[in-house]
Amino acid sequence: MPASHAPSTTATDGDAATATSLRGRIQSHLGIDPRALGAFRIGVGLVVIADLLVLRAPQLGTFYTDDGVLPRATLAETAPTLARWSLYAISGSLWVQALLLGVTTIFAACLLVGYRPRFAAVGTAVLLASLHARNPYLVNGGDTILISVLLLAAFLPLDARWALRRRQRRNDDRVLSVATATILLHVVVIYAINAVLKFQSDAWMSGVAVQRIFHLEDFVYLLGPTLAEYPTVLTGINWLWTAVLSASVLLVVTTGWLRTATAVAFIGTHLSMAATMRLGSFPFAMCAVLLLFLPPRRWDTIDRLIIKSGVSSRLEPVRRATGDSTRSGTSQHIRRGLRVTATGLLVCLFVVLVGWQLVAAGLVESPSSMADSTLESASWAFFAPQPPDSYSWYVVEAEHESGASTDLVDGSDVTFDRPPNAMDRYPTTLWKRYGAKTQGAGAVAQPATAYFCEQTPDDVESVTIYRLDQPVDADGPVGKPVPHERAAAVCN
């Protein structure tokens, strides 16, 4: 009798071995190393804190209060939905904005150190979205990517490693779940959409797109102007970036050294972007997300260095004081129900994100007039399908009681000639974003003139804002700049 059961037992063992082997294969493609999750959490936390404290906090009064360039009344007129749902729009006072920015920074700091990181990720995402809704003219695609990965990260065990409150795990194998698959595929979709748009572009397919981009003086900086002098190198970069984007699928279909090489190629490209163009948090956010693709072997070396440095042992008393994350006494049925609900929410979120970007990129038609300028400005297309064919700057003319006119940007005489560097016409990166995004929003220009009137001496009678557009091609500026009067206001 025992022998009669041997074939059945053997078959069961074979099925189990096959299932284990299949799970192992899926895990190597769509799983994430716990240390990669920790590095991703730290990277995203640092990017958010730097964006808040370095970029936005110094200009909080200018761009986020009623005394600035976009009062809440103007926001309600131009974007009523955003005004209704933004927490930052509950008050126009500077102290309220500073308080909310401080709370957002605290959430990001909790994410950074790994204290209740899932809750911190959701709180950071919600408050960041609210901040961006308060002034949508300061938002680029990198900001929306950051919010999307924060929301997806809330479904991941971010405290698996290198966290103040570390989640106890049975082993250090790769984490495999619907959440890990979703965030990895989300990154690949971002790059794949961009690749498709590149192949639809005459400029990219003729090899001149990067040359044109590096003649946009309001974008390039640091090494950018020097690189712009080498058109042959820029042509090579054009084809190299197109090839790297086309290879984005290798991030999930390969393993080992090829996957590592692909991730490193993307990281290197983004760091090169940060060294040559003003793209805000986008390059650094993408570098943090790409850490999720590095396989365990690459993290073993880093882990040994951390252990050797003694950082983990020095943090152990802090961990004991705060307590490790452990499973609660929730029943198995409730936990299973929560997992099913979370999976459903995650899938819906992923579908919404992909659909939004397909519409924003123009790859599918919207059933309504969704694809407006605000949606397009938040697209993840990044200079595709066609890079800009012009750049712009502003002249703010102040007429004095004496009849003289001065440019409030630099205090010099008013001139519409092309400046040596257009970016010098913007006091900060946020001013540059605001000027670029409000070109087609006429209702926004008038409050800006009122703001400038408040900043001028008493002898200024009126202020007029002009935007100047400079056409460019692959060889540089073409013709003379074209002035457009945007708004005027009487100051006295």
Side-chain angles (χ1 to χ4, degrees), residues 317-387:
V318 180
R319 289 200 187 98
R320 287 197 297 267
T322 57
D324 282 349
S325 298
T326 56
R327 287 185 178 273
S328 65
T330 309
S331 70
Q332 184 176 359
H333 292 294
I334 294 178
R335 289 200 301 269
R336 184 178 301 152
L338 291 174
R339 284 197 297 270
V340 171
T341 302
T343 300
L345 289 174
L346 189 59
V347 172
C348 291
L349 177 60
F350 181 66
V351 171
V352 168
L353 288 172
V354 173
W356 167 41
Q357 283 307 305
L358 289 175
V359 172
L363 294 177
V364 299
E365 293 186 2
S366 170
S368 62
S369 57
M370 286 177 56
D372 58 14
S373 58
T374 303
L375 180 61
E376 291 170 357
S377 68
S379 169
W380 302 331
F382 295 111
F383 301 119
Q386 300 297 340

Side-chain angles (χ1 to χ4, degrees), residues 20-335:
T20 302
S21 175
L22 179 60
R23 177 180 174 81
R25 292 180 182 179
I26 297 175
Q27 193 174 45
S28 64
H29 292 277
L30 298 177
I32 301 175
D33 189 283
R35 294 161 294 187
L37 287 170
F40 159 75
R41 187 199 73 242
I42 293 169
V44 170
L46 287 173
V47 170
V48 173
I49 291 173
D51 181 75
L52 293 174
L53 299 184
V54 178
L55 188 64
R56 301 182 193 275
Q59 302 165 86
L60 200 60
T62 301
F63 292 107
Y64 297 100
T65 68
D66 285 347
D67 294 329
V69 296
L70 188 68
R72 288 177 298 158
T74 304
L75 177 66
E77 178 184 351
T78 57
T81 301
L82 297 181
R84 187 178 304 115
W85 290 103
S86 172
L87 289 174
Y88 280 78
I90 62 176
S91 172
S93 300
L94 178 60
W95 74 269
V96 175
Q97 305 304 305
L99 177 63
L100 288 170
L101 192 77
V103 174
T104 310
T105 305
I106 291 173
F107 271 106
C110 290
L111 178 67
L112 171 65
V113 301
Y115 184 81
R116 306 285 185 185
R118 291 188 176 188
F119 178 71
V122 173
T124 304
V126 170
L127 287 170
L128 271 185
S130 183
L131 175 68
H132 298 331
R134 174 60 183 88
N135 194 332
Y137 303 105
L138 302 178
V139 181
N140 65 11
D143 296 321
T144 56
I145 286 178
L146 200 53
I147 292 173
S148 70
V149 297
L150 281 167
L151 290 174
L152 295 176
F155 297 89
L156 297 168
L158 297 175
D159 49 2
R161 291 296 296 272
W162 303 334
L164 196 61
R165 289 173 56 90
R166 179 177 173 181
R167 177 181 295 271
Q168 297 298 324
R169 292 180 53 81
R170 288 174 295 180
N171 55 60
D172 282 336
D173 291 341
R174 285 187 177 184
V175 180
L176 177 63
S177 65
V178 175
T180 63
T182 300
I183 196 166
L184 295 181
L185 292 174
H186 176 56
V187 177
V188 173
V189 167
I190 292 174
Y191 290 131
I193 288 177
N194 200 266
V196 171
L197 293 173
K198 295 283 194 293
F199 282 109
Q200 294 180 348
S201 168
D202 294 335
W204 285 95
M205 290 297 97
S206 61
V208 300
V210 175
Q211 293 184 53
R212 188 194 298 177
I213 291 170
F214 272 77
H215 287 299
L216 302 174
E217 293 183 1
D218 57 347
F219 267 110
V220 295
Y221 82 135
L222 294 182
L223 301 178
T226 302
L227 194 59
E229 299 176 2
Y230 299 92
T232 303
V233 175
L234 295 178
T235 300
I237 294 174
N238 184 107
W239 294 115
L240 179 61
W241 179 229
T242 304
V244 171
L245 285 172
S246 303
S248 59
V249 67
L250 297 179
L251 289 170
V252 291
V253 301
T254 62
T255 60
W257 70 267
L258 185 54
R259 179 172 182 158
T260 300
T262 306
V264 170
F266 274 106
I267 291 173
T269 303
H270 287 305
L271 292 178
S272 299
M273 291 179 181
T276 54
M277 293 183 287
R278 299 177 186 271
L279 297 174
S281 62
F282 164 68
F284 306 105
M286 294 309 299
C287 287
V289 176
L290 286 162
L291 295 175
L292 296 172
F293 292 91
L294 296 181
R297 182 176 299 179
R298 312 307 163 193
W299 293 108
D300 291 340
T301 303
I302 299 174
D303 218 3
R304 285 194 293 268
L305 292 174
I306 293 176
I307 294 173
K308 186 177 180 180
S309 68
V311 173
S312 297
S313 60
R314 286 194 292 269
L315 289 177
E316 194 59 35
V318 180
R319 289 200 187 98
R320 287 197 297 267
T322 57
D324 282 349
S325 298
T326 56
R327 287 185 178 273
S328 65
T330 309
S331 70
Q332 184 176 359
H333 292 294
I334 294 178
R335 289 200 301 269

